Amino acid sequence: MATVAGMAAATSLIAKPTMKTTDKKQLAHHVFFWLKNRDSKEDLAKLIAGLRTLEKIETVRSLHIGTPAPVEKRPVVEDSYSVSELILFDDVEGQNTYQNHPIHLEFVKNYKELWEKVVVYDALSV
Amino acid sequence: MATVAGMAAATSLIAKPTMKTTDKKQLAHHVFFWLKNRDSKEDLAKLIAGLRTLEKIETVRSLHIGTPAPVEKRPVVEDSYSVSELILFDDVEGQNTYQNHPIHLEFVKNYKELWEKVVVYDALSV
């Protein structure tokens, strides 16, 4: 049965086809890694290869793996990290599934010796 | 004129319809704000309203505004910030256009009194 809320949501989507903000709530899970061997291109490539395995986890909606972009140096810009891993989940539950997923646990087990520091941000859209 | 690289890219997109990793390179611009008045719901709402104006900038491909998600507390999780702003650009040029855009400059001018600290990460996909 079509609900009033459902119809309103559908109308809203039709009315805003060029809307760039994600209407659906999402959880942005952003992890920054600092390699032990900061200048090792081999370790960098290994970690990136390991991160690519994470996209197979079923609750991962999108995966963005990056390194510091060549942007203007400003005091507020943190660019000392080695690798950035950005994953979008539908919700906290999707992130929990990911954390305990065999593929993620295998990734941590196989690659954790490569990094000396990790910082994680989990932001839920408002 | 269709280039070989362009045709290869198109073939790649067709061949991997369920690929979750963004094939196209993107710049993830992630800004974390710490409010001066950390417990002020009014200031939080003001800042969020200000951030929403940024999606009108033409180089912004997507905008995700969030607050710390209710995830498991772990030592590596940074959840002391007030608001997260995550923007995807096509490239560094798109980010430069954004930085100097009147809408962005207006945002900084009108809302900078609200925050006491900002940390910015710019990660270019590999």
Side-chain angles (χ1 to χ4, degrees):
Chain A
M1 193 180 81
T3 62
V4 173
M7 286 161 66
T11 306
S12 167
L13 285 173
I14 292 163
K16 295 186 288 185
T18 59
M19 191 73 175
K20 287 184 286 191
T21 305
T22 303
D23 286 322
K24 199 174 67 168
K25 285 205 184 301
Q26 281 195 307
L27 190 152
H29 175 68
H30 210 156
V31 185
F32 297 93
F33 297 88
W34 281 258
L35 287 172
K36 276 181 195 160
N37 303 316
R38 295 191 180 205
D39 299 325
S40 167
K41 286 186 178 166
E42 194 184 353
D43 284 6
L44 179 69
K46 268 189 209 167
L47 179 53
I48 289 170
L51 287 168
R52 292 206 195 283
T53 66
L54 301 175
E55 79 171 334
K56 294 197 189 76
I57 298 173
E58 60 271 20
T59 57
V60 170
R61 295 294 169 248
S62 75
L63 170 64
H64 177 286
I65 301 168
T67 53
V71 297
E72 190 193 339
K73 299 278 179 198
R74 295 181 294 146
V76 292
V77 176
E78 167 57 270
D79 62 357
S80 66
Y81 65 93
S82 308
V83 182
S84 143
E85 168 212 336
L86 170 62
I87 296 180
L88 293 179
F89 296 104
D90 288 342
D91 47 30
V92 173
E93 190 51 47
Q95 209 262 27
N96 289 342
T97 299
Y98 162 88
Q99 288 294 342
N100 301 311
H101 197 286
I103 292 175
H104 180 243
L105 298 176
E106 190 74 6
F107 162 76
V108 174
K109 193 183 83 180
N110 293 341
Y111 296 91
K112 68 181 177 192
E113 291 307 318
L114 293 178
W115 62 77
E116 63 178 15
K117 179 184 164 192
V118 170
V119 176
V120 180
Y121 296 88
D122 283 300
L124 192 61
S125 48
V126 289
Chain B
M1 194 181 79
T3 62
V4 172
M7 286 161 66
T11 306
S12 167
L13 284 172
I14 292 163
K16 294 186 290 185
T18 59
M19 192 74 176
K20 287 184 285 191
T21 305
T22 303
D23 287 321
K24 200 174 67 169
K25 284 203 183 303
Q26 281 195 307
L27 191 152
H29 174 68
H30 210 156
V31 186
F32 297 93
F33 298 89
W34 282 258
L35 287 172
K36 276 182 195 159
N37 302 316
R38 296 189 179 207
D39 299 326
S40 168
K41 287 185 178 166
E42 194 184 354
D43 285 4
L44 179 70
K46 269 188 207 167
L47 179 54
I48 290 170
L51 287 168
R52 292 205 196 283
T53 66
L54 301 174
E55 79 171 335
K56 294 197 189 76
I57 298 174
E58 60 272 18
T59 58
V60 170
R61 295 293 168 248
S62 75
L63 170 63
H64 177 286
I65 302 168
T67 53
V71 297
E72 191 194 337
K73 299 277 180 202
R74 296 180 294 146
V76 293
V77 176
E78 167 57 271
D79 62 356
S80 66
Y81 65 92
S82 308
V83 181
S84 144
E85 168 212 337
L86 169 63
I87 295 180
L88 292 180
F89 296 105
D90 287 342
D91 47 29
V92 172
E93 191 50 49
Q95 209 261 26
N96 290 341
T97 300
Y98 162 88
Q99 288 294 342
N100 302 310
H101 196 286
I103 292 175
H104 181 242
L105 298 175
E106 190 74 6
F107 163 75
V108 174
K109 194 183 83 181
N110 293 340
Y111 296 91
K112 67 182 178 191
E113 292 307 319
L114 292 179
W115 62 76
E116 63 177 14
K117 180 184 163 192
V118 170
V119 176
V120 180
Y121 297 87
D122 282 301
L124 192 61
S125 48
V126 288

